[in-house]
Amino acid sequence: MSESPSVLREAYERYDCHLRARYVIVADVVALVCMPAGIVLDYFVYPSKIWEFLLIRLAVDLILAAFVFSLLAGKNRTRLPVVKTLGVLSTLVVNLSFCVMIYLTEGAVSPYYAGLNLVILIMATLLPWTAFETALVCVLSLVFYTLACFAHAEGISGSAFSIFFNNSYFVTITAVICVTSTYFRSKARFDEFELRHQLDGKNRTLQDMDRAKTQFFSNISHELRTPLTLILGPVETLLSRGENLDARVHEGLILVHGNALRLLKLINDLLDLMRLEQGAEVLRKRNLSLGAFLRGIVDSVKHLGLSKSLKIRVEKGDEEDEMLADPARMEKVVLNLLTNAIKYTPVSGTITVRWDCTPEEARIEVADTGVGIPAGDLAKIFDRFHQVGSNSSNQFQGVGIGLALAKDLVTEHGGRIEVESVVGKGSTFRVVLPHDREAVGGGVALSRDAGPEEPFEKAFRSADRTWRNIGGDTSELLPVVGDSGEIVLVADDERDMLQYIVSLLSSDYRVVQTRNGGMVRELVEQYHPRVVLLDWMMPGRDGLSLCGDLRADASLADLKIMLLTARIDEESKIQALRAGADDFLTKPFSTAEVKTRVLNLLRSSQLQIELRVRNAELSETLEKLQRTETLLIQSEKMNALGSLSAGILHEINNPLNYTLTAVSFAKKLDAGLSPEIREILADIEEGMQRVRDVITHLKDFAYPEKPGTETIFSLREVFDSARKILSNEIAGADMEVEIPETLLVRGQKTQITHVFMNLLSNAGKAVAGLPPDAGKRISVDATASAGAVTVSVSDSGPGIPDAILGRVFEPFFTTREVGSGMGMGLSICHTIMEAHGGTIGAGNKPGGGAVFTFTLPLPKPPDQTL
């Protein structure tokens, strides 16, 4: 429930008073330093007033020092009205001193008015004022300045008035800025305090909730012990009659028994932690024989090391050594150290337990030849819920409370626990307990016997002697289970979980299994599974990084991936989906859920494959349709252009002939024409000739020769004819021709001549724009092969820009200026080549210049003609 506004305001006033007092002291100390330092300015501006001004500055310092002393020495700093008043007075005293200096010097003309602006800015910045306080100080400062100017002997008459107005204007602007700034700063300061005040209240509420949570956790853990123990009892009874049980039932009971003990151990540890946190743990201490105590614990856990061929031994010490401890709690400490050593010691390693005593303390050491602990983790190894970030295989997962509980129990005994470790060589944990009973904390009951055993104590003690045996060498090859169906790969580092999932899927699928994440990629490439189930945490590679790796391989696009984890937070699910997982299965899960999810993934994979095939077919069909559409559009364009050209020919041809005839007739009257008229007639004739050329192009485009008019002719003869016609246009270029005299082609002679003329004309225009000293070359060559002749026409010009290379054969496309061509020449060439069953293309030479290449069919031998 939120606090009332009056309570919040009262709390803010206390905070504001403390803040103001601190900043008033800071501001006054700054002024104490700066005021005497201003004597340097007085020396250069008003040297005659230096001693008088020094007295004024020292008087201001005395007043400010008194303000500082009153805030430091008395209770004034806790009185908000006093602190506010002193803050305002501090600024007014300084500004008043500047006004006195203004009065004693030149009045409105005095440059010391700038001090008013400076003081207002500094104080409004340093002091946590409200807008009202800032406005009050600014108004009073302006009043002091006005009085000083009017009281001066010269007043503000004449030019002094404009200076007075100017100075007052800037003081007023400074005041407006400071008032606006302090308004928003004051509001932000209150909002910040309100948020912080609310946060403090919520923190107190959270602390209360945390205490309630701890109490609830303790209660629920205690309540869970009884049903778990009642589960273990009947299971152990059934296992004792194993000879009468089906093999699969017996295997299932062993799985239930082992995991129930693990859960009971976890609950026991949590309950002990809660008790220690609440201070409810009462130690029943007695003198213990160290030798007998340690040998009994070691004998009870030796069976845990059998699967790894570990040697667990107790070094013989003084049998008379004793320690003062609670047997049950100290047993838990030593068991935690031993089970950890068994976990992290590789096959055939050694674990050594030793003890020794001094007059002051007893020491127990558990040393192993295991993987060791990185130096960076040693300082945190006893923190609750901390897990070592990197061991040799990262295969032993837990919640990180065993060593934390051990440390708390040792601390409760008044002792300490130490660790020494070298990565790759092993670790040594040392428990040190004092002999002096006065060093032991409170809540201790001394006893000479063990006391009565609480109900189910046997089950609790058995749970303490279990550990999470993920099992064996994770690099071992596991058999493929199941003989038929789709292939499913299951990767989980925990033996029991892997065995459980494989047993669920093996009746319907062929299941490949592994306990090492590092082998997953190899197994995927070897068996090509359709679905992969990955545990999140595994040795070698974790499931999340494996998921991203598999998804990055395009060849595995149809592979479906399911991540298995005990994490239920939203962030973990998002991480899995971002890594490319198709599904996310949270432990615990039911048999039906696993089977249904795997079946759905298989169906999804099959649908994905079928969809990709359909998409490929659809893409191919769409591509064909696009090509057909392009051809149809081009055909329609050409038909439309042909119709347009025919219309233009009909409408223009007769007027053109009349005009040319008239020009020809007029030129016969040459003797009677003036030079101007002859020039006009020449221009008209040139224009008409250009129109006739256009009409000729359009005629060739609109009325191509029919296929039946094809003949066999010499390609060199056609080229020479075109070259002769264009001799003027290509006169400035060096011509290189390599066309055999005997090379014959089949086609329409006039149209092929037209193609040569267009290409030579373009080449001539390309080299014509080159500098005089540049090599102007046009090359033409022809070669025959595979039933066709290939002709290339190239030049040494600037070439064709890449941006327009694909458009040069479009009708009416041109890059030349208006009046220099219609852009029909290359389009007509393209049409002619299509009519001849040939091709034409454009490109650029590597060394520079354009090249046009076209092909024509060779004549068939006589025996192949009909």
Side-chain angles (χ1 to χ4, degrees):
M1 184 176 67
S2 60
E3 295 178 324
S4 63
S6 60
V7 174
L8 178 63
R9 176 57 62 178
E10 183 180 350
Y12 177 72
E13 288 180 353
R14 290 194 299 270
Y15 162 76
D16 190 42
C17 181
H18 174 75
L19 185 68
R20 284 172 175 268
R22 185 168 72 250
Y23 280 104
V24 168
I25 293 172
V26 172
D28 286 352
V29 169
V30 172
L32 282 170
V33 175
C34 293
M35 283 301 291
I39 197 68
V40 177
L41 180 65
D42 300 336
Y43 175 78
F44 287 101
V45 180
Y46 296 109
S48 61
K49 300 285 186 179
I50 187 170
W51 298 111
E52 189 176 358
F53 284 3
L54 178 61
L55 291 176
I56 294 174
R57 292 178 183 276
L58 292 177
V60 171
D61 270 13
L62 287 175
I63 296 173
L64 295 178
F67 289 168
V68 173
F69 179 78
S70 66
L71 289 175
L72 291 175
K75 296 182 179 180
N76 289 331
R77 64 187 306 171
T78 61
R79 300 170 182 171
L80 184 60
V82 175
V83 175
K84 285 184 176 181
T85 302
L86 291 179
V88 172
L89 288 178
S90 298
T91 308
L92 292 177
V93 166
V94 176
N95 275 353
L96 183 60
S97 69
F98 280 115
C99 291
V100 171
M101 295 179 189
I102 291 170
Y103 167 75
L104 293 176
T105 53
E106 300 177 76
V109 183
S110 174
Y112 276 34
Y113 95 96
L116 301 178
N117 278 337
L118 184 63
V119 171
I120 291 173
L121 281 172
I122 293 176
M123 290 302 188
T125 302
L126 284 178
L127 298 178
W129 278 343
T130 62
F132 172 77
E133 292 167 327
T134 306
L136 177 63
V137 169
C138 294
V139 169
L140 290 178
S141 297
L142 192 59
V143 169
F144 292 161
Y145 175 66
T146 303
L147 291 176
C149 292
F150 274 95
H152 188 264
E154 296 182 5
I156 58 171
S157 59
S159 61
F161 177 77
S162 62
I163 297 175
F164 168 75
F165 181 80
N166 176 79
N167 296 346
S168 300
Y169 174 80
F170 281 104
V171 172
T172 303
I173 292 299
T174 303
V176 171
I177 293 173
C178 290
V179 169
T180 304
S181 173
T182 51
Y183 170 78
F184 287 106
R185 287 174 55 216
S186 175
K187 186 175 183 303
R189 191 165 57 251
F190 178 78
D191 292 341
E192 181 185 358
F193 173 81
E194 184 178 14
L195 289 174
R196 191 165 57 248
H197 189 71
Q198 292 175 355
L199 184 61
D200 291 340
K202 289 180 179 180
N203 283 338
R204 290 191 295 271
T205 302
L206 286 175
Q207 290 173 359
D208 294 339
M209 292 176 63
D210 185 62
R211 283 190 290 270
K213 177 210 70 176
T214 301
Q215 182 63 42
F216 169 78
F217 215 6
S218 177
N219 292 341
I220 198 67
S221 297
H222 189 274
E223 291 299 321
L224 286 173
R225 296 174 79 186
T226 299
L228 270 174
T229 307
L230 292 175
I231 291 172
L232 285 168
V235 169
E236 289 176 351
T237 301
L238 290 172
L239 286 174
S240 65
R241 304 170 183 174
E243 66 278 0
N244 299 323
L245 296 175
D246 179 76
R248 297 191 65 176
V249 174
H250 186 268
E251 183 179 332
L253 288 174
I254 291 176
L255 190 65
V256 171
H257 183 264
N259 285 277
L261 284 176
R262 282 173 50 193
L263 183 56
L264 183 58
K265 181 182 186 306
L266 177 60
I267 292 173
N268 286 342
D269 289 346
L270 285 173
L271 186 57
D272 288 335
L273 278 176
M274 297 303 107
R275 285 174 174 173
L276 289 170
E277 190 174 85
Q278 294 173 346
E281 187 72 10
V282 177
L283 297 178
R284 300 183 179 276
K285 305 185 74 172
R286 61 190 179 93
N287 285 321
L288 301 174
S289 172
L290 279 170
F293 177 72
L294 294 176
R295 278 192 293 270
I297 296 176
V298 169
D299 288 342
S300 68
V301 298
K302 278 188 175 179
H303 67 283
L304 299 179
L306 292 177
S307 63
K308 300 173 71 176
S309 301
L310 298 180
K311 182 186 292 184
I312 307 176
R313 60 191 180 88
V314 180
E315 281 191 358
K316 187 175 182 180
D318 191 341
E319 294 295 333
E320 296 182 0
D321 287 341
E322 292 185 343
M323 68 176 177
L324 183 63
D326 183 319
R329 303 309 171 199
M330 191 51 55
E331 179 184 54
K332 187 177 289 289
V333 171
V334 177
L335 281 173
N336 264 306
L337 298 181
L338 279 172
T339 52
N340 270 346
I342 294 171
K343 286 181 184 180
Y344 296 110
T345 301
V347 175
S348 302
T350 301
I351 299 173
T352 304
V353 179
R354 61 178 71 94
W355 79 90
D356 67 275
C357 287
T358 67
E360 294 80 19
E361 58 191 20
R363 289 192 294 268
I364 301 173
E365 288 187 358
V366 178
D368 62 62
T369 57
V371 297
I373 304 169
D377 285 309
L378 285 176
K380 301 178 181 179
I381 196 68
F382 296 108
D383 293 348
R384 289 185 186 181
F385 312 117
H386 174 78
Q387 299 181 42
V388 176
S390 58
N391 54 60
S392 64
S393 61
N394 197 27
Q395 58 175 312
F396 298 105
Q397 301 299 321
V399 294
I401 62 175
L403 289 177
L405 175 60
K407 180 184 178 183
D408 288 348
L409 289 172
V410 171
T411 302
E412 193 73 11
H413 279 77
R416 65 184 186 276
I417 186 168
E418 304 167 348
V419 60
E420 298 173 0
S421 184
V422 178
V423 174
K425 294 185 177 180
S427 306
T428 299
F429 286 85
R430 184 179 302 106
V431 176
V432 182
L433 296 182
H435 284 317
D436 186 3
R437 294 178 181 176
E438 295 180 359
V440 182
V444 176
L446 296 179
S447 176
R448 299 300 297 178
D449 53 31
E453 187 177 81
E454 64 173 293
F456 310 123
E457 183 64 27
K458 180 180 179 182
F460 300 156
R461 292 169 66 87
S462 297
D464 287 336
R465 285 161 172 79
T466 62
W467 59 291
R468 188 181 180 185
N469 185 1
I470 295 179
D473 183 2
T474 57
S475 64
E476 63 179 304
L477 295 176
L478 300 177
V480 177
V481 181
D483 298 326
S484 61
E486 299 286 355
I487 299 177
V488 177
L489 172 61
V490 181
D492 197 308
D493 59 334
E494 186 176 357
R495 183 191 296 271
D496 291 344
M497 181 59 68
L498 180 65
Q499 181 180 350
Y500 173 63
I501 297 175
V502 171
S503 67
L504 293 179
L505 301 177
S506 58
S507 59
D508 300 316
Y509 311 106
R510 190 175 177 216
V511 183
V512 181
Q513 54 181 326
T514 181
R515 290 197 293 270
N516 190 338
M519 298 180 63
V520 169
R521 187 58 188 265
E522 178 183 345
L523 292 174
V524 168
E525 294 175 354
Q526 179 180 354
Y527 290 97
H528 305 289
R530 294 281 298 278
V531 176
V532 175
L533 281 72
L534 300 175
D535 187 29
W536 190 296
M537 301 300 296
M538 289 185 294
R541 287 285 298 276
D542 64 272
L544 194 65
S545 64
L546 268 172
C547 184
D549 186 28
L550 294 174
R551 276 289 166 260
D553 190 341
S555 65
L556 301 177
D558 297 325
L559 179 66
K560 297 299 178 181
I561 303 174
M562 181 192 298
L563 276 178
L564 309 176
T565 181
R567 302 182 181 187
I568 60 174
D569 57 289
E570 195 70 22
E571 181 62 26
S572 296
K573 295 180 181 179
I574 293 173
Q575 285 181 349
L577 295 175
R578 284 177 178 172
D582 297 284
D583 204 351
F584 186 94
L585 188 59
T586 304
K587 303 173 185 178
F589 45 78
S590 66
T591 301
E593 183 180 11
V594 176
K595 290 186 173 181
T596 302
R597 287 178 181 266
V598 171
L599 181 59
N600 287 339
L601 289 178
L602 286 170
R603 288 174 177 172
S604 175
S605 176
Q606 183 61 36
L607 289 174
Q608 183 173 316
I609 294 172
E610 294 176 358
L611 180 61
R612 186 173 62 255
V613 173
R614 298 295 181 271
N615 282 339
E617 294 174 353
L618 182 60
S619 298
E620 184 178 354
T621 304
L622 183 60
E623 185 178 351
K624 291 179 180 179
L625 287 174
Q626 288 175 342
R627 289 197 299 267
T628 304
E629 181 184 13
T630 302
L631 293 175
L632 287 173
I633 292 173
Q634 183 68 18
S635 176
E636 290 300 321
K637 282 183 179 179
M638 301 307 293
N639 290 336
L641 289 174
S643 300
L644 175 64
S645 301
I648 292 175
L649 286 174
H650 180 75
E651 296 295 330
I652 296 179
N653 196 42
N654 289 334
L656 176 64
N657 290 332
Y658 297 151
T659 304
L660 287 173
T661 302
V663 171
S664 177
F665 178 76
K667 288 175 67 177
K668 292 179 180 180
L669 304 175
D670 183 74
L673 299 176
S674 65
E676 291 81 3
I677 296 299
R678 286 198 298 271
E679 184 177 352
I680 291 173
L681 289 175
D683 291 341
I684 292 174
E685 185 176 21
E686 181 183 357
M688 291 300 101
Q689 291 291 348
R690 288 178 55 191
V691 172
R692 186 173 63 184
D693 291 341
V694 171
I695 293 301
T696 302
H697 286 313
L698 290 176
K699 180 181 178 181
D700 293 338
F701 181 77
Y703 303 112
E705 297 180 36
K706 301 301 179 182
T709 62
E710 290 183 353
T711 59
I712 297 174
F713 54 87
S714 170
L715 186 64
R716 179 60 183 259
E717 179 184 348
V718 171
F719 169 76
D720 290 339
S721 176
R723 180 179 180 180
K724 184 176 180 180
I725 295 172
L726 296 174
S727 58
N728 290 333
E729 292 188 30
I730 60 177
D734 295 331
M735 186 70 67
E736 299 176 358
V737 182
E738 294 185 6
I739 302 178
E741 296 285 350
T742 58
L743 184 58
L744 301 179
V745 295
R746 176 185 291 277
Q748 298 173 347
K749 190 174 182 179
T750 56
Q751 291 189 359
I752 303 304
T753 304
H754 186 83
V755 171
F756 272 121
M757 290 176 62
N758 264 294
L759 298 183
L760 289 175
S761 177
N762 285 341
K765 292 172 182 176
V767 300
L770 297 177
D773 57 342
K776 300 180 180 182
R777 293 184 307 277
I778 299 176
S779 300
V780 182
D781 62 78
T783 57
S785 63
V789 60
T790 301
V791 182
S792 65
V793 180
S794 60
D795 60 67
S796 60
I800 305 172
D802 293 338
I804 66 171
L805 194 58
R807 301 187 60 193
V808 294
F809 294 106
E810 293 183 8
F812 304 115
F813 176 79
T814 180
T815 59
R816 296 173 185 162
E817 296 180 357
V818 177
S820 299
M822 294 181 60
M824 289 292 296
L826 290 178
S827 177
I828 293 173
C829 292
H830 185 272
T831 303
I832 291 172
M833 286 299 104
E834 282 191 339
H836 282 72
T839 62
I840 187 169
N844 290 305
K845 297 188 299 182
V851 57
F852 287 85
T853 304
F854 65 89
T855 62
L856 285 170
L858 288 172
K860 295 181 180 180
D863 59 346
Q864 294 184 15
T865 59
L866 297 178

